RNA sequence: GCGGAUAUGGUGGAAUUGGUAGACACGCUAGAUUUAGGAUCUAGUGCCGUGAGGUGUGUGGGUUCGACUCCCUCUAUCCGCACCA
């Protein structure tokens, strides 16, 4: 019988589904292992060959762990809320739910064809009410919590109210918006509205007027990580800064714990480093500078606070710079400079965020006429404004030390301000000396100290003087949590007297209401404002914003543990058994979005006692993207004539993406092209050697570039097992690589050869029960060893090669011994499950291959031809003999003596003594 | 500018962690077979050289009996962050 992948794959796929082969055991005594893929957003384009890459890798690992005796959880679901379905709804009026449903069923079909070992009974969809019920519930927990900095954890707000009742807020140490101090009496005297307002300043989910990234084109705000190069990540639309009332979450309260937690994670350094940079911890001090009182007609005793990471350079301050938006600018500017300052502010406002980014070299600023006093010397320091200082970081003001900060240096050079060196070293006055090495000079009590020590003692002196204090500053901002969209989770929030109130648990989920149109209202309110009767039974308005995309994806990994539970987001028992994700596979593009938010929520749920783990994903592998290879045709300008790639330089042409499915080996199927689009029906072609050659380029796969290769076609032509092995064979998992189908026949050949090992010349299934030869065992055990090492190291590409070598060797050994082939099937079944399952059943086993044990290797069989080389060692000669455990001592000696390099060491004499040590190194005393 | 990564044949990529560089696969060349081939099989294939031989892992240096592997220098490419004080 020939290898008929179609019938084999259909048969086993059905069998796995009906037998529920991949359902984890309940009440298992086995150790657990949780393998998770980042769940996909079901887009209209369907899966392309890049999507399954990570899924195949995780599937191989999940199947491997199962054979290794683990109770494996390997689920899949859909991140179903999102922009494209909503934009499609805006264009067509079709409800996003219908679009999403259709896309999901297409995804499911495609996924099913590849033979994954998912437990589909645990599927989750973030847009399902029985899922987002719990997203809303978690939001409520956040809303009803505050962050205690003393215990360094989130706590229920009810406890805070009790403390306010008994002692006010004077002893409360919390992460909160600045609020005035009050005692218990004052708290009790507040009206309920005032109390709510106060509490809102403490809640971990809160509403505030915030500067947001507003994308007019998309009609919504965007998070920082949804913006790339100043435009929206989706669609590339311009983004502007705007003040709006928004929900936010106090992720900043967790900044330090999010950094500390990274140490416990088995993630790549690149991702950890990205998160560290994003959180952006810097140690330094805040220092207050008093306004010089002799400034003309300016109010006394105003202090400007700066943040600096270099308090040691305090004596090098030669001026101060405020952000143009700094609140004191108008108050301190002297009459003489009023006009210049306001002109400058106007000018910087016009510069968009994008210009500021692309043009960081231009130095600009303006003197305000005001001076501050140096806290130690009392010297007058001029105050400038400059757009190199950001209002949103630190205090929006910097003490400028041009000698030791390159930005201050450029500014000082440009405006001719003094440059005072206070640390030795560097290349002053040509450039600033930013490095933290050298000794302090010209710095009074700091003179002679190293930078490190000077930093410590300067902070101490500043604190002693009451001029400031040591401070740790983070770049991370609170996460804006509301979106002006339809297709997202509604907030479980209504408004009473203008203040937000959380709904009762029993009223959840708050379902998305039907709306006529999916656009914002004429008055600019979000789409939910169109919903009829969007009110509580008491007539209070519901929140009209919806949650951002990351809400549902920040906890889905917990839901899989107990996907159908109606009484809790996950039961205590399920969570304490599965704990957290052991292996997470997905792209690195979520480094500062999803992966940070999920960690934040996990820690918050941990603080509140809902989960037992502090981190969601223990180990993570980031698969590289598979890129597409686009093809181009070259249209001669203003004609319908296309010129072949090699001749295009003789004409004035425009390149047009052509569908890669009409191109083979860069040769265009001209007839298919004519039928592709009506305006090409009459196209003329200038050929070379009778063919139309296309140009090619590697780009991201996308519908609009017509370079999407669907896995369906590959499965159709070669089968799922070939696709699985080929995707692994393509190269290291983590690497970005272009898709090309050139090598796929090699993998397909290999599977056919593998099949033939079990069949005789007439194609009849036939294996022998004879004892295997030494050579055959060597091949087998080497393969077991290598494959196990490769799987553990996620080097799936090399193990595919290992299989090929193994099958090639067994073929040339004409080996058809059961005792060799059976373990080989078990090795292969993670990679090519369908063919393995079929062969396993042909071998006469009733239990499926997934219920077996991973074979163990016996190093006694791993005998190589020996290889000897000399190693010098403390006057003795040391020889290393590789993999020659079966050689006799005499043989080893002979090899050493006849080794070409031996003459050099032994000078023709015989060694006095030969000592063989277990690690295959032989000491020879001369 | 800061941080992370990568660099090996015509191509994708191996190398047991310091031990015969180029496994495996694609491609290519020759031969066999087939009416013909996108099919199958056999042999060859880093580069230079007819050959013996020489040479070779981005550049230059170092450690070592021995370096793709370790150390230093430079170069190129990719990714992330970026006037964060």
């Amino acid at each position: 019988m020939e290898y008929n992948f179609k019938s084999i794959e259909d048969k086993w796929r059905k069998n796995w589904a009906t037998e529920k082969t991949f359902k984890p055991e309940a009440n298992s005594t086995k150790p657990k292992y949780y393998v998770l893929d980042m769940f996909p957003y079901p887009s209209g384009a369907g899966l392309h060959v890049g999507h399954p890459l990570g899924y195949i890798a995780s599937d191989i690992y999940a199947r491997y762990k199962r054979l290794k005796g683990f109770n494996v959880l390997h689920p899949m679901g859909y991140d179903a809320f999102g922009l494209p379905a909503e934009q499609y709804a805006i264009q067509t009026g079709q409800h996003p739910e219908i679009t999403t449903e259709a896309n999901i069923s297409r995804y499911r079909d495609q996924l099913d064809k590849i033979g994954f070992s998912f437990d589909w009974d645990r599927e989750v969809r973030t847009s399902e009410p029985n899922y987002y019920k719990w997203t809303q519930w978690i939001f409520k927990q956040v809303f009803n919590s505050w962050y205690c900095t003393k215990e360094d954890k989130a706590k229920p707000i009810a406890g805070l109210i009790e403390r306010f009742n008994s002692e006010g807020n004077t002893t409360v140490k919390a992460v909160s918006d600045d609020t005035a101090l009050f005692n218990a009496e004052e708290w009790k005297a507040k009206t309920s509205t005032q109390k709510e307002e106060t509490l809102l300043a403490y809640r971990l989910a809160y509403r505030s007027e915030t500067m947001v990234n507003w994308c007019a084109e998309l009609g919504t705000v965007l998070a920082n990580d949804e913006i790339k190069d100043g435009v929206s990540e989706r669609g590339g639309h311009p983004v502007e800064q705007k003040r709006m009332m928004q929900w936010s979450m106090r992720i900043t309260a967790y900044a330090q714990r999010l950094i500390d937690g990274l140490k416990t994670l088995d993630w790549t350094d690149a991702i950890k480093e990205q998160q560290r940079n994003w959180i952006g911890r810097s140690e330094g001090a805040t220092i207050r500078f008093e306004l010089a009182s002799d400034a003309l007609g300016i109010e006394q005793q105003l202090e400007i606070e700066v943040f600096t990471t270099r308090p040691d350079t305090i004596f090098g301050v030669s001026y101060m710079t405020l952000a143009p938006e700094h609140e004191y600018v108008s108050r301190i500017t002297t009459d003489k400079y009023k006009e210049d300052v306001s002109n400058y502010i106007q000018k910087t406002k016009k510069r968009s965020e994008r210009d500021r980014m692309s043009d960081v070299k231009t130095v600009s600023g303006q003197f305000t006429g005001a001076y501050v006093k140096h806290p130690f010397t009392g010297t007058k320091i001029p105050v400038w404004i400059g757009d190199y200082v950001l209002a949103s970081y630190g205090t929006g003001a910097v003490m400028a030390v041009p000698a030791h900060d390159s930005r201050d240096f450029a500014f000082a050079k440009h405006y001719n301000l003094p440059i005072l060196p206070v640390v030795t070293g560097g290349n002053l006055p040509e450039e600033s000396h930013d490095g933290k090495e050298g000794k302090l000079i010209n710095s009074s009590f700091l003179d002679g100290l190293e930078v490190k020590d000077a930093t410590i003692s300067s902070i101490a002196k500043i604190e002693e003087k009451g001029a400031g204090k040591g401070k740790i500053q983070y770049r991370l901002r609170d996460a804006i949590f509301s979106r002006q969209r339809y297709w997202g989770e509604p907030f479980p929030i209504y408004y009473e007297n203008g203040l937000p109130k959380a709904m009762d648990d029993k009223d959840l989920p708050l379902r998305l209401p039907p709306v006529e149109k999916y656009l914002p209202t004429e008055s600019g309110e979000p789409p939910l404002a169109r919903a009829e009767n969007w009110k509580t039974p008491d007539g209070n308005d519901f929140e009209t914003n919806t949650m951002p995309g990351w809400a549902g994806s920040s906890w889905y990994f917990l839901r899989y543990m107990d996907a159908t539970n109606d009484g809790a987001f996950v039961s205590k028992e399920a969570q304490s058994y599965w704990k957290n994700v052991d292996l997470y596979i997905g792209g690195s593009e979520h480094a500062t979005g999803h992966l940070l938010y999920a960690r934040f929520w996990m820690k918050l749920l941990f603080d509140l006692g809902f989960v037992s783990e502090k981190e969601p994903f223990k180990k993570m592998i980031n698969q590289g993207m598979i890129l597409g290879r686009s093809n181009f045709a070259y249209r001669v300008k203003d004609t319908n004539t296309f010129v072949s790639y090699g001749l295009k330089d003789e004409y004035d042409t425009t390149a047009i993406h052509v569908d890669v499915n009409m191109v083979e080996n860069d040769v265009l199927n001209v007839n298919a092209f004519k039928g592709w689009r009506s305006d090409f029906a009459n196209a003329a072609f200038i050929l070379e050697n009778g063919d139309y050659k296309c140009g090619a380029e590697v780009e991201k796969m996308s519908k609009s570039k017509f370079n999407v290769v669907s896995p369906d076609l590959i499965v159709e032509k070669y089968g799922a097992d070939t696709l699985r092995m080929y995707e692994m064979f393509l190269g290291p998992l983590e690497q970005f690589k272009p898709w090309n189908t050139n090598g796929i026949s090699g993998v397909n050949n290999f599977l056919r050869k593998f099949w033939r090992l079990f069949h005789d010349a007439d194609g009849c299934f036939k294996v022998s029960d004879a004892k295997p030869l030494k050579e055959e065992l060597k091949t087998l055990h080497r393969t077991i060893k290598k494959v196990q090492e490769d799987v553990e190291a996620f080097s799936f590409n090399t193990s595919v090669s290992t299989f090929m070598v193994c099958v090639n060797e067994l073929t040339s050994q004409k080996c058809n011994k059961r005792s060799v082939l059976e373990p080989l099937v078990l090795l292969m079944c993670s990679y090519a499950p369908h063919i393995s399952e079929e062969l396993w059943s042909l071998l006469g086993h009733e239990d499926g291959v997934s219920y077996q044990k991973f074979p163990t290797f016996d190093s006694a069989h791993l005998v190589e031809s020996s290889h000897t080389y000399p190693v010098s060692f403390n006057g003795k000669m040391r020889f290393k003999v590789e993999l020659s455990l079966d050689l006799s001592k005499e043989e080893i000696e002979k090899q050493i003596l006849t080794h070409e390099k031996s003459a050099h060491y032994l000078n023709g004499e015989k060694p006095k003594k030969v000592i063989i040590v277990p690690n295959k190194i032989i000491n020879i005393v001369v």
Side-chain angles (χ1 to χ4, degrees):
Chain A
M1 204 174 54
E2 260 298 288
Y3 166 48
N4 183 345
F5 61 81
K6 226 167 235 158
S7 62
I8 292 173
E9 291 182 359
D10 277 349
K11 173 177 157 193
W12 289 108
R13 229 166 20 232
K14 283 198 190 101
N15 179 283
W16 295 331
T18 51
E19 298 289 317
K20 298 204 184 292
T21 307
F22 304 112
K23 199 181 172 74
E25 293 173 16
N27 307 318
S28 174
T29 52
K30 292 177 180 173
K32 69 99 187 183
Y33 202 88
Y34 185 178
V35 182
L36 183 64
D37 295 286
M38 288 185 186
F39 64 168
Y41 172 77
S43 85
L47 286 176
H48 63 64
V49 287
H51 291 109
L53 183 72
Y55 305 157
I56 293 167
S58 67
D59 196 61
I60 289 171
Y61 203 75
R63 286 172 180 267
Y64 167 77
K65 277 289 181 184
R66 208 168 265 129
L67 293 190
K68 278 284 187 181
F70 288 83
N71 192 27
V72 173
L73 174 56
H74 188 216
M76 182 46 86
Y78 305 96
D79 188 13
F81 277 132
L83 266 170
E86 176 155 345
Q87 278 173 324
Y88 189 72
I90 291 169
Q91 285 160 24
T92 63
Q94 187 178 69
H95 196 287
E97 194 178 334
I98 298 169
T99 319
T100 304
E101 179 66 39
N103 290 347
I104 285 179
S105 81
R106 166 116 192 262
Y107 264 59
R108 179 63 191 274
D109 280 351
Q110 290 186 294
L111 287 171
D112 277 347
K113 282 185 190 155
I114 305 172
F116 293 121
S117 63
F118 296 130
D119 175 14
W120 283 107
D121 288 354
R122 293 170 187 258
E123 177 188 330
V124 303
R125 300 179 185 186
T126 54
S127 63
E128 287 281 322
N130 60 15
Y131 180 87
Y132 68 66
K133 169 183 175 179
W134 296 107
T135 310
Q136 292 172 337
W137 180 86
I138 292 172
F139 174 82
K140 272 192 62 183
Q141 308 311 311
V142 184
F143 180 69
N144 284 327
S145 311
W146 63 289
Y147 200 90
C148 172
T149 46
K150 213 154 139 196
E151 290 176 49
D152 205 18
K153 63 187 268 200
K155 303 180 78 174
I157 201 102
L160 186 67
I161 297 170
E162 274 172 35
R163 279 183 69 179
F164 286 173
N165 272 322
S166 61
E167 49 194 295
N169 72 347
T170 46
T171 60
V172 173
K173 295 258 183 285
V175 178
S176 71
D177 300 337
D178 285 338
T179 44
L181 292 178
F182 51 82
N183 60 31
E185 296 315 308
E186 288 166 324
W187 168 255
K188 285 175 193 154
K190 284 179 194 270
T191 64
S192 62
T193 308
Q194 285 169 333
K195 283 182 180 169
E196 279 304 323
E197 274 169 355
T198 306
L199 288 174
L200 210 46
Y202 285 86
R203 292 180 189 276
L204 289 183
Y206 63 98
R207 253 163 64 92
S208 67
E209 280 264 322
T210 322
M211 272 294 201
V212 295
N213 308 300
W214 173 255
C215 181
E217 213 80 16
L218 296 171
T220 190
V221 303
L222 297 171
N224 287 340
D225 62 276
E226 291 169 319
I227 301 166
K228 293 269 131 72
D229 302 324
V231 297
S232 67
E233 195 177 22
R234 278 195 187 271
H237 306 297
V239 175
E240 54 179 315
Q241 298 292 305
K242 200 174 162 183
R243 268 191 106 75
M244 283 179 78
M245 187 56 106
Q246 293 292 331
W247 282 97
S248 296
M249 285 199 179
R250 270 183 235 283
I251 189 172
T252 47
Y254 285 84
Q256 190 57 47
R257 285 168 66 189
L258 288 168
I259 290 176
D260 294 342
L262 291 172
K263 283 203 288 280
T264 66
L265 299 177
D266 186 3
W267 295 9
T268 61
D269 290 339
I271 298 268
K272 288 196 202 179
E273 200 54 33
Q274 267 184 61
Q275 290 211 345
R276 271 188 214 108
N277 289 342
W278 189 260
I279 297 167
R281 176 192 158 107
S282 39
E283 288 177 40
T286 53
I287 304 172
R288 286 189 298 275
F289 287 75
E290 208 177 297
L291 206 66
S293 51
D294 57 341
L296 302 164
I298 296 175
E299 56 188 294
Q300 309 276 310
Q301 300 218 309
L302 197 60
E303 286 182 325
I304 300 176
E305 194 176 51
V306 300
F307 173 73
T308 179
T309 53
R310 296 294 302 274
D312 55 305
T313 61
I314 181 81
F315 289 95
V317 177
S318 58
Y319 63 100
M320 176 185 275
T321 317
L322 308 187
E325 301 91 342
H326 197 282
E327 55 171 328
Y328 288 175
V329 171
S330 57
R331 287 166 73 180
I332 62 166
T333 303
T334 58
D335 292 341
K336 193 177 159 198
Y337 291 96
K338 278 252 146 66
E339 207 184 318
D340 289 341
V341 165
S342 91
N343 284 345
Y344 179 72
I345 292 173
Q346 285 309 313
K347 210 174 82 194
T348 54
K349 264 196 187 149
K350 270 191 219 139
R351 281 180 88 193
S352 69
E353 195 79 358
R354 224 182 162 184
D355 293 341
R356 265 169 90 158
M357 267 199 272
S358 57
D359 178 30
V360 296
K361 296 234 156 57
T362 309
V363 177
S364 78
Q366 172 61 45
F367 181 47
T368 61
Y371 292 87
V372 289
K373 280 196 294 196
H374 191 283
F376 291 108
T377 64
T379 321
K380 275 171 66 179
I381 296 168
V383 180
W384 287 65
I385 57 174
D387 68 358
Y388 81 96
V389 178
L390 302 176
S392 51
Y393 183 76
T395 61
V398 302
M399 58 175 226
V401 185
H404 304 289
D405 182 288
S406 51
R407 293 151 308 183
D408 297 342
F409 183 83
F411 195 89
K413 276 269 179 202
H414 192 260
Y415 292 106
N416 244 327
L417 293 157
I419 296 168
L420 319 165
V422 289
V423 182
T424 58
N427 196 18
L428 284 161
E430 274 69 43
E431 54 185 9
S432 63
H433 170 44
D434 295 16
K436 290 193 179 183
E437 63 280 328
K439 281 197 163 59
L440 273 285
I441 48 169
N442 305 328
S443 295
S444 162
F445 55 88
L446 297 171
D447 280 348
L449 292 175
E450 291 289 331
V451 167
K452 222 177 131 197
D453 305 322
T455 306
I456 296 165
S457 67
S458 62
I459 293 175
K461 264 282 169 27
I462 288 162
E463 287 182 351
E464 193 185 308
K465 231 176 165 340
K469 57 181 182 201
K471 166 132 204 236
I472 293 161
Q473 182 73 41
Y474 300 93
R475 198 181 73 98
L476 186 72
R477 312 287 156 78
D478 276 346
I480 294 175
F481 196 68
S482 38
R483 298 289 127 83
Q484 294 66 48
R485 315 217 59 89
Y486 176 76
W487 192 229
E489 299 88 346
F491 282 72
I493 291 287
Y494 61 91
Y495 290 89
E496 209 175 83
N497 302 322
L499 284 168
K501 288 268 167 64
M503 291 168 64
D504 241 34
D505 283 356
K506 66 172 166 48
D507 297 324
L508 298 182
L510 175 60
R511 287 167 187 266
L512 263 179
V515 291
E516 261 171 72
K517 273 205 225 166
Y518 301 95
L519 283 169
T521 64
E522 279 68 31
S523 57
E525 280 185 87
L528 288 191
R530 292 179 180 274
E532 258 181 69
N533 211 17
W534 187 233
K535 295 175 191 317
T536 63
D538 300 339
N540 290 315
D541 289 337
F542 283 128
E543 171 67 60
T544 53
N545 282 295
T546 53
M547 299 188 198
W550 56 268
S553 59
S554 293
W555 73 281
Y556 75 109
F557 47 90
L558 293 168
R559 187 64 179 169
Y560 285 132
M561 298 173 181
D562 193 12
T564 53
N565 192 335
D566 280 335
F569 72 111
V570 56
S571 72
K572 274 244 150 73
E573 301 76 61
Q575 194 276 320
S576 64
Y577 177 72
W578 292 111
K579 294 192 170 68
N580 53 10
V581 177
D582 294 285
L583 174 67
Y584 198 30
I585 295 195
S588 54
E589 66 272 19
H590 299 104
T592 52
H594 161 62
L595 291 169
L596 201 59
Y597 298 129
R599 294 183 60 218
F600 162 43
W601 277 29
M602 190 75 173
K603 289 184 188 305
L604 197 140
L605 290 169
F606 173 82
D607 286 352
L608 298 175
F610 294 115
V611 297
S612 65
E613 296 289 324
K614 295 176 190 167
E615 289 287 345
F617 317 118
K618 270 200 284 225
K619 180 180 176 64
M620 182 164 60
I621 301 278
N622 305 110
Q623 94 275 15
M625 199 186 301
I626 293 193
L627 302 165
R629 191 167 180 278
S630 310
N631 278 114
F632 297 90
Y634 302 89
R635 189 211 286 255
V636 179
K637 276 241 168 81
D638 305 319
T639 68
N640 207 7
T641 302
F642 292 82
V643 56
S644 186
Y645 178 72
L647 306 171
K648 77 177 165 68
D649 292 342
E650 297 166 27
Y651 302 83
D652 186 10
T653 58
T654 359
I656 294 173
H657 275 99
V658 299
D659 194 327
V660 292
N661 295 306
M662 304 184 305
V663 180
E664 209 168 327
N665 292 327
D666 287 341
V667 174
L668 179 69
N669 178 336
V670 169
N671 287 326
F673 182 72
K674 284 183 172 180
W676 186 38
R677 268 163 49 182
S678 57
D679 50 325
F680 295 153
N682 301 316
F685 299 91
I686 300 169
L687 307 176
E688 53 184 318
N689 307 326
D691 284 331
Y692 187 93
K693 287 233 181 255
C694 295
E697 217 174 285
V698 172
E699 300 178 289
K700 221 167 155 172
M701 272 198 196
S702 109
K703 228 176 166 180
S704 62
K705 290 173 185 144
F706 302 105
N707 60 358
V708 174
V709 182
S710 150
D712 304 17
L713 294 173
I714 311 286
V715 171
E716 184 70 24
K717 204 166 164 189
Y718 300 100
D721 286 335
T722 299
L723 174 74
R724 289 170 65 106
M725 293 201 94
Y726 183 59
E727 292 224 1
M728 291 300 104
F729 182 69
L730 224 43
L733 188 57
E734 294 91 340
Q735 216 159 80
F736 280 59
K737 49 207 165 240
W739 175 261
N740 85 67
T741 330
N742 289 344
I744 202 163
S745 61
V747 172
N748 192 243
N749 274 343
F750 154 72
L751 283 175
R752 299 218 304 267
K753 262 191 215 166
F754 179 55
W755 178 262
R756 262 181 259 143
L757 275 180
F758 297 77
H759 294 81
D760 63 18
D762 303 322
C764 294
F765 182 82
K766 195 175 171 203
V767 293
S768 140
D769 287 321
K771 255 184 87 178
L773 303 171
K774 208 172 139 192
E775 277 301 291
E776 294 165 346
L777 286 173
K778 187 172 131 191
T779 300
L780 172 69
H781 286 269
R782 211 177 39 206
T783 307
I784 299 173
K785 180 166 187 278
K786 190 76 169 62
V787 168
Q788 179 169 321
E789 284 166 0
D790 286 342
V791 176
E792 300 274 4
F794 299 92
S795 312
F796 300 119
N797 56 328
T798 51
S799 40
V800 176
S801 300
T802 306
F803 286 128
M804 289 178 176
V805 173
C806 176
V807 167
N808 283 345
E809 285 181 14
L810 292 180
T811 303
S812 62
Q813 289 160 5
K814 299 200 178 358
C815 172
N816 68 342
K817 315 272 167 60
R818 170 181 292 272
S819 52
V820 173
L821 295 182
E822 276 194 351
L824 185 58
V825 170
L826 296 177
L827 285 187
M828 284 268 301
C829 76
S830 311
Y831 289 80
H834 309 88
I835 190 174
S836 306
E837 196 82 75
E838 177 70 13
L839 289 169
W840 190 251
S841 96
L842 286 173
L843 283 162
H845 299 282
E846 302 221 327
D847 270 1
V849 80
S850 320
Y851 300 101
Q852 309 305 316
K853 277 225 153 57
F854 193 83
T856 48
F857 67 90
D858 181 350
S859 44
H861 296 294
L862 296 177
V863 174
E864 290 278 346
S865 61
S866 79
H867 170 229
T868 314
Y869 44 84
V871 180
S872 74
F873 178 64
N874 289 353
K876 294 173 187 170
M877 294 302 128
R878 204 173 177 219
F879 276 73
K880 189 168 173 185
V881 181
E882 280 208 323
L883 299 171
S884 305
L885 293 175
D886 64 330
L887 289 185
S888 68
K889 198 172 165 182
E890 289 70 35
E891 251 178 296
I892 293 171
E893 268 192 65
K894 200 179 135 202
Q895 283 204 14
I896 290 168
L897 293 174
T898 53
H899 193 282
E900 54 180 87
K901 290 203 177 168
S902 295
H904 175 70
Y905 292 101
L906 300 173
N907 284 327
E909 289 177 40
K910 272 204 147 189
K912 285 187 189 132
K913 201 173 167 191
V914 175
I915 309 153
I916 300 180
V917 289
N919 66 354
K920 294 171 242 165
I921 289 187
I922 296 151
N923 289 325
I924 299 164
V925 184
V926 188

